[in-house]
Amino acid sequence: MEKPFAITLSVESSLANHTGSWRVEKPEYVHRMPPCNNACPAGENIQNWLYIAEDGSYENAWHALIQENPFPAIMGRVCYHPCQDVCNRSFLDEAVGINSVERFLGDHAIEKGWKIPAPDVESGFKVLIIGAGPAGLSAAYHLRRLGHDVTVRDATHAPGGMMRYGIPKYRLPREILDAEINRIKEMGIRFEMNTRVDDVHVAMDEGFDAVFLAIGAQLSKRAYIPASEAARIMDAIKVLHDVEEGNQPLLGRKVVVYGGGNTAMDVARTAKRLGAEEAVIVYRRTRDKAPANDLEITEALEEGILVKWLSTVNHVGQHELRIEKMELDEKGFPQPTGEFETLEADSLILALGQEVDFSLLGNSADLDVVDGTMTVDATMMTSHPGIFAGGDMVPADRTVTTGVGHGKKAARNIDAWLRKSTYENTKNTDLVTYEQLNSWYYTDAPHVVRERLEASRRAKDFSEVVKGLDESNALYEARRCMSCGNCFECDNCFGVCPDNAIIKLGPGKGFEINLDYCKGCGICVSECPSSSIVMVADK
Amino acid sequence: MTTTPIKFYQVGSFAVGNRLLSEEDRSIQSDPNRTNALTSGHRACQGCGEALGARYALDAAMRACNDQVIAVNATGCLEVFSTPYPESSWRIPWLHSLFGNAPAVATGVAAAMKAKGRTDVRVVGQGGDGATVDIGFGALSGMFERNDDVLYICYDNEAYMNTGVQRSGATPPAARTATTQAVGSAPGNVFGQGKNLPRIAMAHEIPYVATASVADLRDLEAKVTKAMSFRGARYIHVLVPCPLGWGSASCDTIKIARLATQSGLFPVFEAESGEVTSSTPIRKKVDVEEYLKLQLRYAHLFSPTRNDAVINHLQEMADKNIRRYNLLNQSSES
Amino acid sequence: MLKQIEGSKAIADTVAACRPEVICAYPISPQTHIVEGLSAIVKAGKLAKCEFINVESEFAAMSVAIGASAAGARAYTATASQGLLYMVEAVYNAAGLGLPIVMTVANRAIGGPINIWNDHSDSMSQRDSGWIQMYAETNQEAADLHVQAFAIAERLSLPIMVCMDGFILTHAYEQIDVPEQELVDKYLPTFNPRQILDPADPVSIGAMVGPEAFTEVKYMSHMKNLQALTVIPEESEKFAQVFNRDSGGLVRPYKMQEARNVVIALGSVLGTIKDVVDEMIHDGYSIGVLGLTTFRPFPFEAVREALTAAHNVFIVEKAFQLGVGGIVTENVRSSLRGTATHDQTLIAGLGGRPITKQSLRTYFEAAIDGRVEELTFLDLDKDLAERELLKEKVGL
Ligand SMILES: Cc1cc2nc3c(=O)[nH]c(=O)nc-3n(C[C@H](O)[C@H](O)[C@H](O)COP(=O)(O)OP(=O)(O)OC[C@H]3O[C@@H](n4cnc5c(N)ncnc54)[C@H](O)[C@@H]3O)c2cc1C
Ligand SMILES: Cc1ncc(C[n+]2csc(CCOP(=O)(O)OP(=O)(O)O)c2C)c(N)n1
Ligand code: SF4
Ligand code: SF4
Ligand code: SF4
Ligand SMILES: [Mg+2]
């Protein structure tokens, strides 16, 4: 067509006009630290595996997850999910049920028989791990993935540490525990069970290049309580251990548990399952001060466990014991009131916490123990070169997940130490707050409540209490993730640019700013739901 | 209007796309091969809502009729920033004649197409609020009354922006413009009736009337698509914030449009043959203050002293819209 | 075939024969009968593939025509007087965009005071709009000019006003040979637009042009306008071949051989003038007539050539520039620049004032004798005007 000069123009001829020159700031795509990832003691990249799971790619999601943590099915049951406590979604409606999705992925992997990839190359280094609890197993797993020759030694006859001998099966069914541990075994890790290590130095001399100590805290703390001779006083760890080994402890009709931690809850609930008519927990402070996880307290109460808050055991007799009422002072410490009460009790189980058994250190002066825990540096190495430690025996939260995190961290540092380099954690530290998100774009989607076994049925046997999610629920839950600080391809930036200055690179490839046309208005940044774009100075 | 609710997605129907949706559930704008009726290199201000609204609307119109769209544009920012010699940002056949005649010119194009038997080619007339509610009002009303086969889209930025932010018949009360300065005893624009063009359009009982904003792309696209399914005169009134004229941050354009809808000041609804058929419920109700605060054209309401009387008056307007269009407490998203 | 028919009806039939695709109009006397006629034709289905749009104003009428024409349709409208002024912005725009719209102007005075009768002040006001303007002397010529107008407009991509005197022509019943469909089809090619709004080959029409190119754009428009001076005579000739009738062209000399005095005019008044001139020749005067069929672009060459023998020209105008004088006069004067020919202006027929033979003869005789002022208002009641002016002077 013949175009009259000037009054008629060719279409899209404005592409010659590079309006990008107007810009003083430019948008930049970034990856930021979501609060969940930041809070995960195992250092999981939660947002990432949720993102992968969101489109149903469960196997890929599982693989991404086990980059950091080999136990999703276990985590999905016993982890106290601090990630969820800080989930930004809780400001919108409720936290994402990260833990339930993790369990779903873990269970799914077991069901499908997914395997851990073999290491690319064998390093030729030999590492000894003492203790087959979560810390030791995690270290073994990560070291093996890095190509090292790993031997795990443990005093008990089955691996798992407190996951097996502490946590009761109604919370962690053993087939799940076994499945996830077996998968690790299959990586070619040597397990030497029923092998107590009495001297770490002797073990070192066997030709290992490094040692990871993860012996946990096996010794129950004792308290002095006046008691008559016929009184039955037991310790919780031993009770749980016996139950696991199939040795029915003699508890009697009425059981009192002394302590306010998870162990106390577990042992009380176990007592009920073993046939006790009544299980009473005695704790010297209040519920909100109790170290036990609140959900565990709730579950215990649901199962008919009674709790005497603000009480201490004063004297133990054969069929009764005396407790004293306490009150909290201004500082929140319990103080005796002089008021007493008598409870019927056939036995008292002490659940007052555990201590580390350092006897295997022998008399080595170069291993530094302070306040009952072993000192380690930022690389998890003890004061003895080549000996690393983690889990309950070092100062930190005593949880399975922390142990797993220690194991991973130690493994990566052991690997570096063996290769005479240093391990750099390249994680982004730019934490995403809720205010930085554009919450408008997240539709209201409340959290899926995990089904639980009816309380009346529960206390009768050791069946698992908390049920898993089915696939559609898990998918829904995964998709509730707001993807804090990491693009989830919502296309907003691509859509909202008035200058059409964003290029969509295609699925999984993200976006690119076309700086020829970007005027730097910042709308893409404002409208990014997940705060994955920032404005930075330009020119 | 509500778009098809999509269950189980964190971003449901509000984000532009989302990889988790099937292609047909994604917005037209999310398509990497979208038509970009208005493409890059135009000279709109940073963060211009009108540039955004025009691309949204015309891409949707193109999608609805196999790209067979001719656009007729009134004088105004959109025209000036898109076609200064020697460059045009349009990728569709486009005609600009005058400030006040776009609806009639569009009628002419539509008549030509009909005469030529090219009824597959659809005509979109478009202009700013000044072109629409003021100078082109007669032509628009004529086009409506004759029920000419034209979709007319008003990009409402609530003033004559192209000439430097003077008041139009769509300028809201109290807003400061170059001709309603924030001085005297009643600073800013008067509290008058204003010209509520969507309702005036409805009074013509044309097949389809809708309001929309750049804050809700899905809704806008759905409305354009729906409008294109009718023959005859159709009208869509799109709220397009103008950072320059409103004195707002360029990055806040969509946010401000959203606050306009969520406060109730700008009701989003649609009507067929003169009857309101649906309204988009407010999802997160805010006070008008939230909306006003972000714009310098209302700065005189907050400093040096807070003018509660006027703020309350504006709030009443919003509340009236909420009642009139039933913007709250609908059994939503079912 | 000749038939006794009203001028407006003849125009309606003629326009219909030109197969317009979009007709839009808004009523105003004395244009009404034309568009009523066309509306009836379209409504009755006698004109296939044509849309008739009853618009809400003349501004819309021209705007609809702009849209239709830009979309490649043959577009037609008609107006007069206030209506023409009401559409002015769009009139200029149509020319600026180079859209070959044909518009009939049924010439009528412009208010205030409001006046529905004939003069040329409406179309004359648009002489610089970029439209071609042709003035019909008779209804026959008016009909013929419409046929040629489409051809000229479309060849040049320029709009044309065909001006015909309101009432005097539009409402007169006469014997008119309305161009027959068959012949029109033979003469008028189908519209092949220079540019068109087409999704298959999109363009952006109506850009904003700044100082850097505006002069060039305007110069080009001017030059294209001047091309009409070639195209118009060509079309007139072509028309004559098909229709066997002489009409159109730039200028129309009448008994001008060696005439010392030449009367110049446009439109229907030429008929009366010719009668007076015939009588004066009979009485021994050396006088002839030059009719201006094309007023825009102004045919300077043709006028100059036609007037080589003239000593005096008397320009009869139905409009004038207030505070200045004749409009046509100025253009004629430019044509005569450097010659000794003397010009005098007679403003006549304002607001429908009858132009009688008697008054014209009196004026021409006096003018030939050099007894008139440069600017004369025919049959002006000067006493009355002076009296009233005196009253208004109070306080000055
Ligand atoms: C009843 C109970 C319930 C709990 N519930 C939860 C829960 O729900 N969620 C949670 O996160 N945490 C829970 N915990 C805490 C959690 O189990 C521990 O923090 C975690 O198991 C510590 O891991 P670890 O690897 O450091 O030690 P452990 O799990 O204690 O493992 C240490 C291993 O080392 C072995 N070992 C010790 N000494 C030697 C030696 N000399 N030679 C060879 N082997 C040795 C032990 O046999 C044991 O297998 C619970 C703890 C208890 C007691
Ligand atoms: C007849 C006429 N009057 C005035 C103008 C000047 N003018 C051009 S654009 C414009 C304002 C446009 O306002 P609006 O239609 O709201 O569009 P915006 O620029 O705000 O997008 C004005 C007053 C004009 N071009 N034509
Ligand atoms: S707006 Fe959406 S697509 Fe763009 S960076 Fe943010 S999350 Fe990713
Ligand atoms: S929205 Fe577009 S123009 Fe604005 S900053 Fe982002 S990329 Fe640049
Ligand atoms: S003045 Fe307003 S409407 Fe005009 S280009 Fe700038 S932002 Fe857009
Ligand atoms: Mg405006």
Side-chain angles (χ1 to χ4, degrees), chain A residues 78-80 130-136 153-156 160-163 166-168 171 195-198 214-218 237 240 262-263 266 296 354 360 390-393 398-401 403:
Chain A
V78 306
C79 180
Y80 297 126
I130 304 173
R153 251 170 227 175
D154 194 289
T156 59
M162 285 301 182
M163 298 192 293
I167 302 173
R171 291 208 288 124
T195 315
R196 167 169 286 280
V197 176
D198 294 317
I215 55 173
Q218 312 298 328
I237 297 299
L240 292 169
N262 291 320
T263 308
D266 277 337
E296 291 212 40
Q354 289 99 251
L360 84 170
D392 279 3
M393 67 180 294
R398 287 184 171 175
T399 67
V400 172
T401 324

Side-chain angles (χ1 to χ4, degrees), chain B residues 50 75-78 99 128-131 135 157 159-163, chain C residues 89:
Chain B
E50 193 164 68
T75 311
C77 274
L78 178 58
F99 187 22
D129 49 298
I135 199 165
N157 52 22
Y160 296 147
M161 296 311 176
N162 185 47
T163 36
Chain C
E89 198 193 2

Side-chain angles (χ1 to χ4, degrees), chain A residues 5-7 9-19 22-24 50-52 54-55 89 92 434 438-445 472 475-476 478-483 488-502 504 514 517 519-523 526-527 529, chain B residues 6-20 26 28-34 36 38-49 51-52 55-56 82-93 215-217 249-255 258 261-262 283-284 333:
Chain A
F5 172 70
I7 56 163
L9 305 175
S10 303
V11 289
E12 64 181 10
S13 41
S14 67
L15 292 176
N17 184 29
H18 287 184
T19 51
W22 304 11
R23 188 179 60 232
V24 290
L50 282 172
Y51 172 83
I52 301 171
E54 277 168 31
D55 69 0
R89 181 140 202 146
L92 184 68
Y434 180 69
N438 191 332
S439 63
W440 171 261
Y441 292 102
Y442 300 102
T443 42
D444 312 328
S472 73
L475 198 62
Y476 170 91
R479 288 171 176 185
R480 292 182 62 243
C481 169
M482 305 196 292
S483 199
F488 60 102
E489 295 186 20
C490 74
D491 297 326
N492 261 14
C493 49
F494 177 63
V496 301
C497 174
D499 289 278
N500 189 25
I502 290 179
K504 182 170 172 177
N514 185 344
Y517 303 114
K519 291 174 184 160
C521 69
I523 294 184
S526 305
E527 299 308 314
Chain B
I6 300 148
K7 267 182 105 183
F8 293 158
Y9 292 98
Q10 70 217 115
V11 289
S13 48
F14 298 100
V16 170
N18 192 341
R19 68 194 175 103
L20 299 174
R26 298 185 199 180
I28 294 160
Q29 285 302 310
S30 75
D31 183 351
N33 301 315
R34 71 186 182 211
N36 286 320
L38 180 70
T39 193
S40 310
H42 61 70
R43 290 157 199 250
C45 302
Q46 286 150 314
C48 174
L52 191 57
R55 193 187 73 222
Y56 282 179
S82 66
T83 55
Y85 166 80
E87 292 149 357
S88 166
S89 309
W90 297 100
R91 300 185 73 227
I92 48 172
D216 193 345
L217 167 69
S250 63
C251 62
D252 282 343
T253 297
I254 291 179
K255 180 179 182 184
R258 189 155 54 230
T261 61
Q262 298 306 295
R283 261 178 85 210
K284 298 190 177 177
E333 298 188 41

